[in-house]
Amino acid sequence: MRKGTIFKSYEMFVAAAVIAAHASVSKEGFRQRDVRFLIELFTNWVEMTLGGQVLEVNNTQVQRYLDQLVAEGFARRFMRGKQPCYRLARTGLIELLNRILPQSFCAYPQHFFFLYYFITNYRPRLEKLIEEEGKQFPIALKLEVQGLLDRDALVRHQLHFADLEMKKLNERINDAAKASELFSDLTKRGLSVVEATKEVEKLYPYELNSQKPLTELISSIPEDLARWEMQVGTVQRSKHVWQPTREMLQAYIKCLKQL
């Protein structure tokens, strides 16, 4: 699939569906419709975080994904009657396992919990499948597979990423309070909105400062709105966006620690 598509964005479920389709059949191979159904089934379990476009997977998307696996040598395509069927190679199973593992913070907890469920409950079957897909199963490859299917390591990695997100949120909340206080103090001393903003920017630049400096952004809007943004809006964003987000992240971290 092309990068940037909706289908690619939710590859965790797509790759898991292909693995599950492969695991559910014997040597005769799985079909495109099997993968499509499993994608829709898996995403249905976490549908509150997914849009209709993801749930309504079309045949062309699935076909292209499977054909790409074949082109890369991760799967084999053959005909059974008039219908194309597929089987994953050992390298394909390992590749798809790599694709379902998050490389960074999982923004939607439901997605991570789905992955945890998948790895926890299907690990014995997956290990057996990988071992059977080929004559040789060297110890180095076996250790790699064990690492991919290590649910405790999966949780540790996600906790690490979640802790980093928590630190960023805490810094943003603290900086917002300090920036507002500094701006108020500077304007009380007689500095203009732009002058005060320039001083705030030196200590508390916002996230997109490299794209458009805070002073430039504030200079482009009416002075009364600029003053509100710097003095009140900053605090309100913290109160209405970042602090509630922190509470949800705290709950997520608590759930991860209980796994």
Side-chain angles (χ1 to χ4, degrees), residues 2-232:
R2 297 188 305 273
K3 291 183 178 180
T5 65
I6 294 289
F7 200 65
K8 182 68 176 179
S9 299
Y10 296 97
E11 190 172 19
M12 174 190 294
F13 301 101
V14 179
V18 176
I19 293 173
H22 176 85
S24 65
V25 297
S26 55
K27 298 295 183 181
E28 67 265 19
F30 60 89
R31 295 182 178 180
Q32 170 188 309
R33 67 185 183 190
D34 301 322
V35 175
R36 177 176 177 177
F37 171 76
L38 287 167
I39 293 172
E40 294 177 348
L41 176 66
F42 291 164
T43 54
N44 173 262
W45 294 346
V46 294
E47 64 181 345
M48 67 178 293
T49 59
L50 300 173
Q53 294 181 71
V54 177
L55 298 175
E56 298 173 2
V57 177
N58 65 56
N59 292 331
T60 301
Q61 288 174 308
V62 177
Q63 186 69 59
R64 287 176 178 170
Y65 191 86
L66 294 174
D67 286 345
Q68 186 63 36
L69 290 177
V70 173
E72 293 170 338
F74 296 132
R76 181 169 64 91
R77 183 178 186 270
F78 56 93
M79 302 300 294
R80 194 174 76 214
K82 295 183 179 180
Q83 298 293 329
C85 293
Y86 301 84
R87 278 194 61 78
L88 292 174
R90 174 184 283 168
T91 54
L93 282 163
I94 295 173
E95 168 65 20
L96 289 176
L97 281 176
N98 272 294
R99 293 185 188 184
I100 69 174
L101 298 179
Q103 302 302 313
S104 59
F105 178 65
C106 229
Y108 297 115
Q110 293 92 331
H111 295 192
F112 180 81
F113 296 138
F114 163 79
L115 177 58
Y116 182 83
Y117 156 82
F118 189 84
I119 294 296
T120 297
N121 292 281
Y122 298 126
R123 175 172 179 164
R125 175 63 173 156
L126 292 171
E127 288 179 325
K128 184 178 179 182
L129 279 172
I130 294 171
E131 185 173 357
E132 291 175 346
E133 290 295 330
K135 296 180 180 179
Q136 302 295 326
F137 195 46
I139 186 64
L141 185 59
K142 187 173 184 178
L143 291 173
E144 179 184 353
V145 171
Q146 289 176 348
L148 291 172
L149 297 175
D150 186 342
R151 68 177 187 179
D152 294 332
L154 185 70
V155 173
R156 287 196 301 272
H157 291 159
Q158 191 60 196
L159 273 170
H160 170 70
F161 294 134
D163 286 339
L164 290 178
E165 291 298 316
M166 181 64 75
K167 289 178 182 178
K168 288 193 288 186
L169 267 176
N170 285 333
E171 288 180 4
R172 185 173 248 187
I173 291 168
N174 292 334
D175 284 356
K178 293 175 181 177
S180 174
E181 184 178 352
L182 176 60
F183 180 85
S184 297
D185 182 57
L186 292 173
T187 52
K188 286 178 182 178
R189 295 184 196 176
L191 272 68
S192 68
V193 170
V194 173
E195 290 171 335
T197 299
K198 187 176 296 185
E199 294 304 312
V200 170
E201 183 180 22
K202 293 177 183 178
L203 295 176
Y204 311 108
Y206 77 125
E207 293 288 324
L208 302 182
N209 211 72
S210 61
Q211 296 183 35
K212 190 168 189 177
L214 181 60
T215 305
E216 181 182 340
L217 175 62
I218 291 300
S219 299
S220 67
I221 60 178
E223 183 174 342
D224 59 334
L225 178 58
R227 183 181 296 274
W228 183 91
E229 286 290 348
M230 292 299 299
Q231 190 167 334
V232 181

